[in-house]
Amino acid sequence: GAVVSQHPSRVICKSGTSVKIECRSLDFQATTMFWYRQFPKKSLMLMATSNEGSKATYEQGVEKDKFLINHASLTLSTLTVTSAHPEDSSFYICSARSSGGANEQFFGPGTRLTVL
Amino acid sequence: AQSVAQPEDQVNVAEGNPLTVKCTYSVSGNPYLFWYVQYPNRGLQFLLKYITGDNLVKGSYGFEAEFNKSQTSFHLKKPSALVSDSALYFCAVRDMGRGGNKLTFGTGTQLKVEL
C-alpha cells in the first residue's frame, strides 16, 4: 500500500513553544489530508481536513488558531501546535487520500507530543 | 450522521482459535467500510475494506470481514488467531450517500491472543 510518513515521531517541548509536525505522502499525490488526535486507549478524533491549496476545514471544538494546518503541496501537509500547553500532549496521526472514489486512507505512523 | 459501534472494549482468544471482532454501523446512504489495526505507539494499518460486491471481504494477514446489510454489521474474523495479532482494531465507515469525505471510527477493540 501507499506510504505516509510523519516527522518527528516524538517531540518534547516546553509549555508556550510551538511545534511543527510534517506529514508526507511518499508515493502518491494526496489531494486530501486529515489530522487526527488520539488519547490513550481511545479512538481517533478528527481535528481537520485539508485539501491541497485551500484552507483546512476544522471540526467543531478544534481551535484553528491553535492548530495551524498547511497543505502546500500534493505530498506535504503540516500541523503546527502553537503556544503548546501540557493538555496538548497527545498522539497526533495524519492520513492521506488520493482523489476520488473509495480509496482508503493511508495513515502515518503518528507523532507523540509531550508538552512539559 | 454516520456512526460506528464496536461493542467490545477487549476480546480475548487462545492462539489457534477463531476470532471475531464486532462492528455495527449507521449511515444514511451506502457505506464504505474499513478495518484498521494499530500496534502500540504506531499509526493505523489498513486491513481490508468493503465497497461493493461480494459480502465476504478478504484482507491482510488472513483477516476477513463479512458485510451484512440487514444487520448493518461488518464483523472482522480470522479462522486461527496468532499471538502476533494482539493489537487494537478499529472499524470505520464513510457515508457515500452524503458524498462522504470523512472516516468515522469506532472506539476500538483491544484483541489479546494468548498461548
PDB file of all heavy atoms in Angstrom, chain A residues 4-5 22-26 28-36 46 48-52 56-57 69-78 94-98 105-106, chain B residues 101:
ATOM      1  N   VAL A   4       2.768   6.783   4.010  1.00  0.00           N
ATOM      2  CA  VAL A   4       2.666   8.131   4.560  1.00  0.00           C
ATOM      3  C   VAL A   4       3.665   8.234   5.706  1.00  0.00           C
ATOM      4  O   VAL A   4       3.687   7.374   6.593  1.00  0.00           O
ATOM      5  CB  VAL A   4       1.247   8.416   5.080  1.00  0.00           C
ATOM      6  CG1 VAL A   4       1.173   9.790   5.741  1.00  0.00           C
ATOM      7  CG2 VAL A   4       0.239   8.337   3.933  1.00  0.00           C
ATOM      8  N   SER A   5       4.469   9.250   5.671  1.00  0.00           N
ATOM      9  CA  SER A   5       5.466   9.426   6.734  1.00  0.00           C
ATOM     10  C   SER A   5       5.124  10.644   7.572  1.00  0.00           C
ATOM     11  O   SER A   5       4.457  11.577   7.107  1.00  0.00           O
ATOM     12  CB  SER A   5       6.870   9.583   6.143  1.00  0.00           C
ATOM     13  OG  SER A   5       6.985  10.829   5.480  1.00  0.00           O
ATOM     14  N   GLU A  22       5.260  17.327  10.389  1.00  0.00           N
ATOM     15  CA  GLU A  22       5.130  17.176   8.944  1.00  0.00           C
ATOM     16  C   GLU A  22       4.523  15.828   8.588  1.00  0.00           C
ATOM     17  O   GLU A  22       4.808  14.814   9.214  1.00  0.00           O
ATOM     18  CB  GLU A  22       6.501  17.274   8.271  1.00  0.00           C
ATOM     19  CG  GLU A  22       7.114  18.653   8.302  1.00  0.00           C
ATOM     20  CD  GLU A  22       8.370  18.724   7.460  1.00  0.00           C
ATOM     21  OE1 GLU A  22       8.865  17.669   7.022  1.00  0.00           O
ATOM     22  OE2 GLU A  22       8.872  19.849   7.252  1.00  0.00           O
ATOM     23  N   CYS A  23       3.705  15.846   7.559  1.00  0.00           N
ATOM     24  CA  CYS A  23       3.096  14.638   7.034  1.00  0.00           C
ATOM     25  C   CYS A  23       3.335  14.593   5.529  1.00  0.00           C
ATOM     26  O   CYS A  23       2.989  15.544   4.824  1.00  0.00           O
ATOM     27  CB  CYS A  23       1.600  14.645   7.340  1.00  0.00           C
ATOM     28  SG  CYS A  23       0.687  13.255   6.651  1.00  0.00           S
ATOM     29  N   ARG A  24       3.914  13.515   5.065  1.00  0.00           N
ATOM     30  CA  ARG A  24       4.220  13.401   3.642  1.00  0.00           C
ATOM     31  C   ARG A  24       3.659  12.112   3.052  1.00  0.00           C
ATOM     32  O   ARG A  24       3.768  11.046   3.666  1.00  0.00           O
ATOM     33  CB  ARG A  24       5.727  13.401   3.405  1.00  0.00           C
ATOM     34  CG  ARG A  24       6.411  14.707   3.758  1.00  0.00           C
ATOM     35  CD  ARG A  24       7.916  14.637   3.489  1.00  0.00           C
ATOM     36  NE  ARG A  24       8.579  15.854   3.934  1.00  0.00           N
ATOM     37  CZ  ARG A  24       8.700  16.947   3.195  1.00  0.00           C
ATOM     38  NH1 ARG A  24       8.229  16.972   1.956  1.00  0.00           N
ATOM     39  NH2 ARG A  24       9.312  18.017   3.671  1.00  0.00           N
ATOM     40  N   SER A  25       3.079  12.218   1.882  1.00  0.00           N
ATOM     41  CA  SER A  25       2.711  11.025   1.120  1.00  0.00           C
ATOM     42  C   SER A  25       3.890  10.744   0.202  1.00  0.00           C
ATOM     43  O   SER A  25       4.290  11.586  -0.593  1.00  0.00           O
ATOM     44  CB  SER A  25       1.422  11.266   0.332  1.00  0.00           C
ATOM     45  OG  SER A  25       1.543  12.364  -0.538  1.00  0.00           O
ATOM     46  N   LEU A  26       4.469   9.556   0.342  1.00  0.00           N
ATOM     47  CA  LEU A  26       5.748   9.290  -0.316  1.00  0.00           C
ATOM     48  C   LEU A  26       5.626   8.798  -1.745  1.00  0.00           C
ATOM     49  O   LEU A  26       6.526   8.994  -2.554  1.00  0.00           O
ATOM     50  CB  LEU A  26       6.557   8.288   0.513  1.00  0.00           C
ATOM     51  CG  LEU A  26       6.930   8.751   1.917  1.00  0.00           C
ATOM     52  CD1 LEU A  26       7.829   7.736   2.598  1.00  0.00           C
ATOM     53  CD2 LEU A  26       7.605  10.113   1.887  1.00  0.00           C
ATOM     54  N   PHE A  28       2.409   8.768  -3.624  1.00  0.00           N
ATOM     55  CA  PHE A  28       1.181   9.145  -4.314  1.00  0.00           C
ATOM     56  C   PHE A  28       0.869  10.596  -3.990  1.00  0.00           C
ATOM     57  O   PHE A  28       1.417  11.181  -3.048  1.00  0.00           O
ATOM     58  CB  PHE A  28       0.012   8.235  -3.909  1.00  0.00           C
ATOM     59  CG  PHE A  28      -0.447   8.405  -2.477  1.00  0.00           C
ATOM     60  CD1 PHE A  28      -1.590   9.134  -2.185  1.00  0.00           C
ATOM     61  CD2 PHE A  28       0.258   7.825  -1.430  1.00  0.00           C
ATOM     62  CE1 PHE A  28      -2.016   9.284  -0.870  1.00  0.00           C
ATOM     63  CE2 PHE A  28      -0.156   7.971  -0.124  1.00  0.00           C
ATOM     64  CZ  PHE A  28      -1.301   8.701   0.165  1.00  0.00           C
ATOM     65  N   GLN A  29      -0.013  11.164  -4.791  1.00  0.00           N
ATOM     66  CA  GLN A  29      -0.407  12.547  -4.565  1.00  0.00           C
ATOM     67  C   GLN A  29      -1.680  12.576  -3.730  1.00  0.00           C
ATOM     68  O   GLN A  29      -2.683  11.988  -4.105  1.00  0.00           O
ATOM     69  CB  GLN A  29      -0.626  13.250  -5.907  1.00  0.00           C
ATOM     70  CG  GLN A  29       0.668  13.422  -6.683  1.00  0.00           C
ATOM     71  CD  GLN A  29       0.474  14.243  -7.945  1.00  0.00           C
ATOM     72  OE1 GLN A  29      -0.574  14.212  -8.555  1.00  0.00           O
ATOM     73  NE2 GLN A  29       1.496  15.007  -8.311  1.00  0.00           N
ATOM     74  N   ALA A  30      -1.586  13.263  -2.619  1.00  0.00           N
ATOM     75  CA  ALA A  30      -2.686  13.310  -1.667  1.00  0.00           C
ATOM     76  C   ALA A  30      -3.461  14.604  -1.823  1.00  0.00           C
ATOM     77  O   ALA A  30      -3.008  15.655  -1.369  1.00  0.00           O
ATOM     78  CB  ALA A  30      -2.162  13.177  -0.245  1.00  0.00           C
ATOM     79  N   THR A  31      -4.592  14.522  -2.480  1.00  0.00           N
ATOM     80  CA  THR A  31      -5.395  15.731  -2.618  1.00  0.00           C
ATOM     81  C   THR A  31      -6.058  16.106  -1.301  1.00  0.00           C
ATOM     82  O   THR A  31      -6.365  17.266  -1.065  1.00  0.00           O
ATOM     83  CB  THR A  31      -6.481  15.540  -3.682  1.00  0.00           C
ATOM     84  OG1 THR A  31      -7.179  14.333  -3.408  1.00  0.00           O
ATOM     85  CG2 THR A  31      -5.875  15.450  -5.069  1.00  0.00           C
ATOM     86  N   THR A  32      -6.255  15.124  -0.460  1.00  0.00           N
ATOM     87  CA  THR A  32      -6.872  15.389   0.838  1.00  0.00           C
ATOM     88  C   THR A  32      -6.026  14.767   1.935  1.00  0.00           C
ATOM     89  O   THR A  32      -5.598  13.623   1.811  1.00  0.00           O
ATOM     90  CB  THR A  32      -8.294  14.800   0.916  1.00  0.00           C
ATOM     91  OG1 THR A  32      -9.064  15.279  -0.175  1.00  0.00           O
ATOM     92  CG2 THR A  32      -8.972  15.206   2.221  1.00  0.00           C
ATOM     93  N   MET A  33      -5.793  15.545   2.957  1.00  0.00           N
ATOM     94  CA  MET A  33      -5.088  15.029   4.135  1.00  0.00           C
ATOM     95  C   MET A  33      -5.913  15.319   5.371  1.00  0.00           C
ATOM     96  O   MET A  33      -6.653  16.306   5.432  1.00  0.00           O
ATOM     97  CB  MET A  33      -3.696  15.644   4.259  1.00  0.00           C
ATOM     98  CG  MET A  33      -2.706  15.069   3.256  1.00  0.00           C
ATOM     99  SD  MET A  33      -1.031  15.659   3.564  1.00  0.00           S
ATOM    100  CE  MET A  33      -0.076  14.556   2.551  1.00  0.00           C
ATOM    101  N   PHE A  34      -5.779  14.446   6.336  1.00  0.00           N
ATOM    102  CA  PHE A  34      -6.549  14.532   7.563  1.00  0.00           C
ATOM    103  C   PHE A  34      -5.593  14.517   8.752  1.00  0.00           C
ATOM    104  O   PHE A  34      -4.587  13.819   8.748  1.00  0.00           O
ATOM    105  CB  PHE A  34      -7.502  13.341   7.695  1.00  0.00           C
ATOM    106  CG  PHE A  34      -8.425  13.160   6.521  1.00  0.00           C
ATOM    107  CD1 PHE A  34      -7.993  12.468   5.396  1.00  0.00           C
ATOM    108  CD2 PHE A  34      -9.718  13.654   6.544  1.00  0.00           C
ATOM    109  CE1 PHE A  34      -8.836  12.285   4.304  1.00  0.00           C
ATOM    110  CE2 PHE A  34     -10.567  13.474   5.464  1.00  0.00           C
ATOM    111  CZ  PHE A  34     -10.121  12.794   4.343  1.00  0.00           C
ATOM    112  N   TRP A  35      -5.944  15.244   9.770  1.00  0.00           N
ATOM    113  CA  TRP A  35      -5.185  15.230  11.023  1.00  0.00           C
ATOM    114  C   TRP A  35      -6.098  14.743  12.146  1.00  0.00           C
ATOM    115  O   TRP A  35      -7.215  15.242  12.325  1.00  0.00           O
ATOM    116  CB  TRP A  35      -4.636  16.608  11.355  1.00  0.00           C
ATOM    117  CG  TRP A  35      -3.474  16.977  10.484  1.00  0.00           C
ATOM    118  CD1 TRP A  35      -3.502  17.703   9.335  1.00  0.00           C
ATOM    119  CD2 TRP A  35      -2.103  16.614  10.691  1.00  0.00           C
ATOM    120  NE1 TRP A  35      -2.241  17.815   8.801  1.00  0.00           N
ATOM    121  CE2 TRP A  35      -1.356  17.152   9.613  1.00  0.00           C
ATOM    122  CE3 TRP A  35      -1.426  15.884  11.668  1.00  0.00           C
ATOM    123  CZ2 TRP A  35       0.017  16.998   9.502  1.00  0.00           C
ATOM    124  CZ3 TRP A  35      -0.061  15.725  11.555  1.00  0.00           C
ATOM    125  CH2 TRP A  35       0.654  16.279  10.483  1.00  0.00           C
ATOM    126  N   TYR A  36      -5.577  13.749  12.869  1.00  0.00           N
ATOM    127  CA  TYR A  36      -6.314  13.155  13.972  1.00  0.00           C
ATOM    128  C   TYR A  36      -5.511  13.306  15.258  1.00  0.00           C
ATOM    129  O   TYR A  36      -4.294  13.387  15.257  1.00  0.00           O
ATOM    130  CB  TYR A  36      -6.543  11.655  13.744  1.00  0.00           C
ATOM    131  CG  TYR A  36      -7.415  11.307  12.563  1.00  0.00           C
ATOM    132  CD1 TYR A  36      -6.881  11.207  11.287  1.00  0.00           C
ATOM    133  CD2 TYR A  36      -8.779  11.049  12.731  1.00  0.00           C
ATOM    134  CE1 TYR A  36      -7.672  10.876  10.198  1.00  0.00           C
ATOM    135  CE2 TYR A  36      -9.577  10.709  11.653  1.00  0.00           C
ATOM    136  CZ  TYR A  36      -9.015  10.624  10.398  1.00  0.00           C
ATOM    137  OH  TYR A  36      -9.799  10.284   9.317  1.00  0.00           O
ATOM    138  N   LEU A  46     -11.026  13.203  14.680  1.00  0.00           N
ATOM    139  CA  LEU A  46     -10.659  14.032  13.534  1.00  0.00           C
ATOM    140  C   LEU A  46     -10.577  15.487  13.972  1.00  0.00           C
ATOM    141  O   LEU A  46     -11.514  16.021  14.558  1.00  0.00           O
ATOM    142  CB  LEU A  46     -11.689  13.869  12.417  1.00  0.00           C
ATOM    143  CG  LEU A  46     -11.436  14.685  11.149  1.00  0.00           C
ATOM    144  CD1 LEU A  46     -10.144  14.258  10.465  1.00  0.00           C
ATOM    145  CD2 LEU A  46     -12.611  14.545  10.188  1.00  0.00           C
ATOM    146  N   ALA A  48      -9.097  18.022  11.647  1.00  0.00           N
ATOM    147  CA  ALA A  48      -9.313  18.873  10.479  1.00  0.00           C
ATOM    148  C   ALA A  48      -9.033  18.094   9.206  1.00  0.00           C
ATOM    149  O   ALA A  48      -8.323  17.083   9.217  1.00  0.00           O
ATOM    150  CB  ALA A  48      -8.405  20.093  10.551  1.00  0.00           C
ATOM    151  N   THR A  49      -9.612  18.605   8.149  1.00  0.00           N
ATOM    152  CA  THR A  49      -9.427  18.055   6.809  1.00  0.00           C
ATOM    153  C   THR A  49      -8.827  19.144   5.940  1.00  0.00           C
ATOM    154  O   THR A  49      -9.314  20.291   5.965  1.00  0.00           O
ATOM    155  CB  THR A  49     -10.777  17.623   6.214  1.00  0.00           C
ATOM    156  OG1 THR A  49     -11.381  16.665   7.082  1.00  0.00           O
ATOM    157  CG2 THR A  49     -10.598  17.027   4.832  1.00  0.00           C
ATOM    158  N   SER A  50      -7.800  18.811   5.202  1.00  0.00           N
ATOM    159  CA  SER A  50      -7.207  19.838   4.341  1.00  0.00           C
ATOM    160  C   SER A  50      -7.104  19.342   2.914  1.00  0.00           C
ATOM    161  O   SER A  50      -6.776  18.178   2.673  1.00  0.00           O
ATOM    162  CB  SER A  50      -5.829  20.255   4.857  1.00  0.00           C
ATOM    163  OG  SER A  50      -4.862  19.249   4.648  1.00  0.00           O
ATOM    164  N   ASN A  51      -7.422  20.214   2.021  1.00  0.00           N
ATOM    165  CA  ASN A  51      -7.262  19.955   0.597  1.00  0.00           C
ATOM    166  C   ASN A  51      -6.144  20.841   0.066  1.00  0.00           C
ATOM    167  O   ASN A  51      -6.024  22.002   0.464  1.00  0.00           O
ATOM    168  CB  ASN A  51      -8.559  20.238  -0.153  1.00  0.00           C
ATOM    169  CG  ASN A  51      -9.636  19.238   0.202  1.00  0.00           C
ATOM    170  OD1 ASN A  51      -9.510  18.058  -0.050  1.00  0.00           O
ATOM    171  ND2 ASN A  51     -10.688  19.716   0.826  1.00  0.00           N
ATOM    172  N   GLU A  52      -5.355  20.280  -0.815  1.00  0.00           N
ATOM    173  CA  GLU A  52      -4.187  20.990  -1.328  1.00  0.00           C
ATOM    174  C   GLU A  52      -4.565  22.339  -1.893  1.00  0.00           C
ATOM    175  O   GLU A  52      -5.488  22.438  -2.708  1.00  0.00           O
ATOM    176  CB  GLU A  52      -3.495  20.125  -2.380  1.00  0.00           C
ATOM    177  CG  GLU A  52      -2.193  20.703  -2.895  1.00  0.00           C
ATOM    178  CD  GLU A  52      -2.374  21.490  -4.173  1.00  0.00           C
ATOM    179  OE1 GLU A  52      -3.380  21.277  -4.868  1.00  0.00           O
ATOM    180  OE2 GLU A  52      -1.505  22.326  -4.481  1.00  0.00           O
ATOM    181  N   ALA A  56      -7.872  24.669   5.518  1.00  0.00           N
ATOM    182  CA  ALA A  56      -8.352  23.454   6.174  1.00  0.00           C
ATOM    183  C   ALA A  56      -9.741  23.669   6.749  1.00  0.00           C
ATOM    184  O   ALA A  56     -10.122  24.777   7.124  1.00  0.00           O
ATOM    185  CB  ALA A  56      -7.381  23.051   7.274  1.00  0.00           C
ATOM    186  N   THR A  57     -10.486  22.585   6.816  1.00  0.00           N
ATOM    187  CA  THR A  57     -11.800  22.584   7.458  1.00  0.00           C
ATOM    188  C   THR A  57     -11.654  21.929   8.822  1.00  0.00           C
ATOM    189  O   THR A  57     -11.288  20.755   8.908  1.00  0.00           O
ATOM    190  CB  THR A  57     -12.819  21.798   6.611  1.00  0.00           C
ATOM    191  OG1 THR A  57     -12.900  22.374   5.316  1.00  0.00           O
ATOM    192  CG2 THR A  57     -14.184  21.825   7.282  1.00  0.00           C
ATOM    193  N   ILE A  69      -2.884  24.379  10.159  1.00  0.00           N
ATOM    194  CA  ILE A  69      -2.657  23.338   9.168  1.00  0.00           C
ATOM    195  C   ILE A  69      -2.386  23.982   7.818  1.00  0.00           C
ATOM    196  O   ILE A  69      -3.109  24.865   7.379  1.00  0.00           O
ATOM    197  CB  ILE A  69      -3.875  22.397   9.090  1.00  0.00           C
ATOM    198  CG1 ILE A  69      -3.963  21.576  10.379  1.00  0.00           C
ATOM    199  CG2 ILE A  69      -3.781  21.487   7.869  1.00  0.00           C
ATOM    200  CD1 ILE A  69      -5.222  20.769  10.515  1.00  0.00           C
ATOM    201  N   ASN A  70      -1.335  23.489   7.187  1.00  0.00           N
ATOM    202  CA  ASN A  70      -0.955  23.961   5.863  1.00  0.00           C
ATOM    203  C   ASN A  70      -0.790  22.767   4.938  1.00  0.00           C
ATOM    204  O   ASN A  70      -0.086  21.821   5.269  1.00  0.00           O
ATOM    205  CB  ASN A  70       0.354  24.747   5.951  1.00  0.00           C
ATOM    206  CG  ASN A  70       0.725  25.372   4.622  1.00  0.00           C
ATOM    207  OD1 ASN A  70       1.127  24.681   3.691  1.00  0.00           O
ATOM    208  ND2 ASN A  70       0.569  26.666   4.523  1.00  0.00           N
ATOM    209  N   HIS A  71      -1.457  22.811   3.805  1.00  0.00           N
ATOM    210  CA  HIS A  71      -1.369  21.721   2.825  1.00  0.00           C
ATOM    211  C   HIS A  71      -0.865  22.337   1.536  1.00  0.00           C
ATOM    212  O   HIS A  71      -1.614  22.557   0.590  1.00  0.00           O
ATOM    213  CB  HIS A  71      -2.759  21.095   2.652  1.00  0.00           C
ATOM    214  CG  HIS A  71      -2.757  19.813   1.882  1.00  0.00           C
ATOM    215  ND1 HIS A  71      -3.834  18.965   1.888  1.00  0.00           N
ATOM    216  CD2 HIS A  71      -1.838  19.235   1.087  1.00  0.00           C
ATOM    217  CE1 HIS A  71      -3.578  17.920   1.116  1.00  0.00           C
ATOM    218  NE2 HIS A  71      -2.372  18.067   0.622  1.00  0.00           N
ATOM    219  N   ALA A  72       0.430  22.632   1.536  1.00  0.00           N
ATOM    220  CA  ALA A  72       1.003  23.463   0.485  1.00  0.00           C
ATOM    221  C   ALA A  72       1.232  22.720  -0.817  1.00  0.00           C
ATOM    222  O   ALA A  72       1.298  23.335  -1.881  1.00  0.00           O
ATOM    223  CB  ALA A  72       2.321  24.053   0.977  1.00  0.00           C
ATOM    224  N   SER A  73       1.370  21.406  -0.733  1.00  0.00           N
ATOM    225  CA  SER A  73       1.611  20.650  -1.960  1.00  0.00           C
ATOM    226  C   SER A  73       0.839  19.338  -1.889  1.00  0.00           C
ATOM    227  O   SER A  73       0.263  18.997  -0.856  1.00  0.00           O
ATOM    228  CB  SER A  73       3.099  20.373  -2.136  1.00  0.00           C
ATOM    229  OG  SER A  73       3.514  19.322  -1.272  1.00  0.00           O
ATOM    230  N   LEU A  74       0.863  18.610  -2.977  1.00  0.00           N
ATOM    231  CA  LEU A  74       0.117  17.352  -3.035  1.00  0.00           C
ATOM    232  C   LEU A  74       0.787  16.227  -2.242  1.00  0.00           C
ATOM    233  O   LEU A  74       0.256  15.120  -2.171  1.00  0.00           O
ATOM    234  CB  LEU A  74      -0.086  16.915  -4.490  1.00  0.00           C
ATOM    235  CG  LEU A  74      -1.114  17.723  -5.264  1.00  0.00           C
ATOM    236  CD1 LEU A  74      -1.081  17.357  -6.738  1.00  0.00           C
ATOM    237  CD2 LEU A  74      -2.511  17.499  -4.690  1.00  0.00           C
ATOM    238  N   THR A  75       1.935  16.512  -1.671  1.00  0.00           N
ATOM    239  CA  THR A  75       2.615  15.465  -0.910  1.00  0.00           C
ATOM    240  C   THR A  75       2.988  15.896   0.500  1.00  0.00           C
ATOM    241  O   THR A  75       3.591  15.130   1.244  1.00  0.00           O
ATOM    242  CB  THR A  75       3.909  15.012  -1.621  1.00  0.00           C
ATOM    243  OG1 THR A  75       4.760  16.158  -1.786  1.00  0.00           O
ATOM    244  CG2 THR A  75       3.606  14.396  -2.972  1.00  0.00           C
ATOM    245  N   LEU A  76       2.608  17.101   0.892  1.00  0.00           N
ATOM    246  CA  LEU A  76       3.023  17.594   2.193  1.00  0.00           C
ATOM    247  C   LEU A  76       1.933  18.397   2.883  1.00  0.00           C
ATOM    248  O   LEU A  76       1.349  19.306   2.305  1.00  0.00           O
ATOM    249  CB  LEU A  76       4.265  18.473   2.053  1.00  0.00           C
ATOM    250  CG  LEU A  76       4.741  19.203   3.329  1.00  0.00           C
ATOM    251  CD1 LEU A  76       5.193  18.197   4.379  1.00  0.00           C
ATOM    252  CD2 LEU A  76       5.864  20.171   2.987  1.00  0.00           C
ATOM    253  N   SER A  77       1.677  18.030   4.130  1.00  0.00           N
ATOM    254  CA  SER A  77       0.821  18.830   4.994  1.00  0.00           C
ATOM    255  C   SER A  77       1.539  19.002   6.327  1.00  0.00           C
ATOM    256  O   SER A  77       2.259  18.094   6.763  1.00  0.00           O
ATOM    257  CB  SER A  77      -0.531  18.147   5.219  1.00  0.00           C
ATOM    258  OG  SER A  77      -1.335  18.882   6.125  1.00  0.00           O
ATOM    259  N   THR A  78       1.361  20.140   6.941  1.00  0.00           N
ATOM    260  CA  THR A  78       1.978  20.373   8.244  1.00  0.00           C
ATOM    261  C   THR A  78       0.931  20.794   9.258  1.00  0.00           C
ATOM    262  O   THR A  78      -0.035  21.493   8.923  1.00  0.00           O
ATOM    263  CB  THR A  78       3.070  21.450   8.183  1.00  0.00           C
ATOM    264  OG1 THR A  78       2.492  22.681   7.724  1.00  0.00           O
ATOM    265  CG2 THR A  78       4.190  21.040   7.249  1.00  0.00           C
ATOM    266  N   CYS A  94      -1.537  11.675  11.090  1.00  0.00           N
ATOM    267  CA  CYS A  94      -2.048  12.234   9.839  1.00  0.00           C
ATOM    268  C   CYS A  94      -2.443  11.097   8.914  1.00  0.00           C
ATOM    269  O   CYS A  94      -2.032   9.951   9.087  1.00  0.00           O
ATOM    270  CB  CYS A  94      -1.024  13.137   9.175  1.00  0.00           C
ATOM    271  SG  CYS A  94       0.298  12.269   8.338  1.00  0.00           S
ATOM    272  N   SER A  95      -3.258  11.445   7.951  1.00  0.00           N
ATOM    273  CA  SER A  95      -3.737  10.471   6.988  1.00  0.00           C
ATOM    274  C   SER A  95      -3.866  11.153   5.636  1.00  0.00           C
ATOM    275  O   SER A  95      -4.152  12.348   5.571  1.00  0.00           O
ATOM    276  CB  SER A  95      -5.097   9.918   7.436  1.00  0.00           C
ATOM    277  OG  SER A  95      -5.617   9.020   6.498  1.00  0.00           O
ATOM    278  N   ALA A  96      -3.653  10.398   4.588  1.00  0.00           N
ATOM    279  CA  ALA A  96      -3.708  10.971   3.254  1.00  0.00           C
ATOM    280  C   ALA A  96      -4.526  10.087   2.333  1.00  0.00           C
ATOM    281  O   ALA A  96      -4.530   8.859   2.473  1.00  0.00           O
ATOM    282  CB  ALA A  96      -2.290  11.130   2.701  1.00  0.00           C
ATOM    283  N   ARG A  97      -5.216  10.756   1.426  1.00  0.00           N
ATOM    284  CA  ARG A  97      -6.029  10.026   0.467  1.00  0.00           C
ATOM    285  C   ARG A  97      -5.892  10.685  -0.894  1.00  0.00           C
ATOM    286  O   ARG A  97      -5.879  11.905  -0.991  1.00  0.00           O
ATOM    287  CB  ARG A  97      -7.500  10.036   0.907  1.00  0.00           C
ATOM    288  CG  ARG A  97      -8.391   9.081   0.135  1.00  0.00           C
ATOM    289  CD  ARG A  97      -9.722   8.911   0.822  1.00  0.00           C
ATOM    290  NE  ARG A  97     -10.564  10.070   0.666  1.00  0.00           N
ATOM    291  CZ  ARG A  97     -11.411  10.505   1.603  1.00  0.00           C
ATOM    292  NH1 ARG A  97     -11.495   9.885   2.754  1.00  0.00           N
ATOM    293  NH2 ARG A  97     -12.147  11.562   1.390  1.00  0.00           N
ATOM    294  N   SER A  98      -5.808   9.860  -1.927  1.00  0.00           N
ATOM    295  CA  SER A  98      -5.737  10.418  -3.277  1.00  0.00           C
ATOM    296  C   SER A  98      -7.139  10.778  -3.744  1.00  0.00           C
ATOM    297  O   SER A  98      -8.123  10.514  -3.065  1.00  0.00           O
ATOM    298  CB  SER A  98      -5.072   9.434  -4.241  1.00  0.00           C
ATOM    299  OG  SER A  98      -5.769   8.210  -4.247  1.00  0.00           O
ATOM    300  N   GLN A 105      -7.855   5.492   3.131  1.00  0.00           N
ATOM    301  CA  GLN A 105      -6.912   6.458   3.663  1.00  0.00           C
ATOM    302  C   GLN A 105      -5.695   5.713   4.172  1.00  0.00           C
ATOM    303  O   GLN A 105      -5.821   4.656   4.787  1.00  0.00           O
ATOM    304  CB  GLN A 105      -7.535   7.230   4.826  1.00  0.00           C
ATOM    305  CG  GLN A 105      -8.564   8.237   4.384  1.00  0.00           C
ATOM    306  CD  GLN A 105      -9.204   8.949   5.554  1.00  0.00           C
ATOM    307  OE1 GLN A 105     -10.389   9.199   5.543  1.00  0.00           O
ATOM    308  NE2 GLN A 105      -8.444   9.297   6.578  1.00  0.00           N
ATOM    309  N   PHE A 106      -4.547   6.281   3.928  1.00  0.00           N
ATOM    310  CA  PHE A 106      -3.310   5.722   4.425  1.00  0.00           C
ATOM    311  C   PHE A 106      -2.822   6.592   5.567  1.00  0.00           C
ATOM    312  O   PHE A 106      -2.845   7.822   5.476  1.00  0.00           O
ATOM    313  CB  PHE A 106      -2.283   5.632   3.304  1.00  0.00           C
ATOM    314  CG  PHE A 106      -2.732   4.741   2.186  1.00  0.00           C
ATOM    315  CD1 PHE A 106      -3.323   5.268   1.054  1.00  0.00           C
ATOM    316  CD2 PHE A 106      -2.584   3.368   2.287  1.00  0.00           C
ATOM    317  CE1 PHE A 106      -3.757   4.454   0.027  1.00  0.00           C
ATOM    318  CE2 PHE A 106      -3.018   2.533   1.264  1.00  0.00           C
ATOM    319  CZ  PHE A 106      -3.602   3.081   0.134  1.00  0.00           C
TER     320      PHE A 106
ATOM    321  N   ASN B 101     -16.742  12.388   2.866  1.00  0.00           N
ATOM    322  CA  ASN B 101     -15.317  12.667   2.815  1.00  0.00           C
ATOM    323  C   ASN B 101     -14.621  12.163   4.064  1.00  0.00           C
ATOM    324  O   ASN B 101     -13.424  11.932   4.046  1.00  0.00           O
ATOM    325  CB  ASN B 101     -15.110  14.171   2.659  1.00  0.00           C
ATOM    326  CG  ASN B 101     -13.688  14.522   2.303  1.00  0.00           C
ATOM    327  OD1 ASN B 101     -13.035  13.786   1.567  1.00  0.00           O
ATOM    328  ND2 ASN B 101     -13.205  15.611   2.836  1.00  0.00           N
TER     329      ASN B 101
END
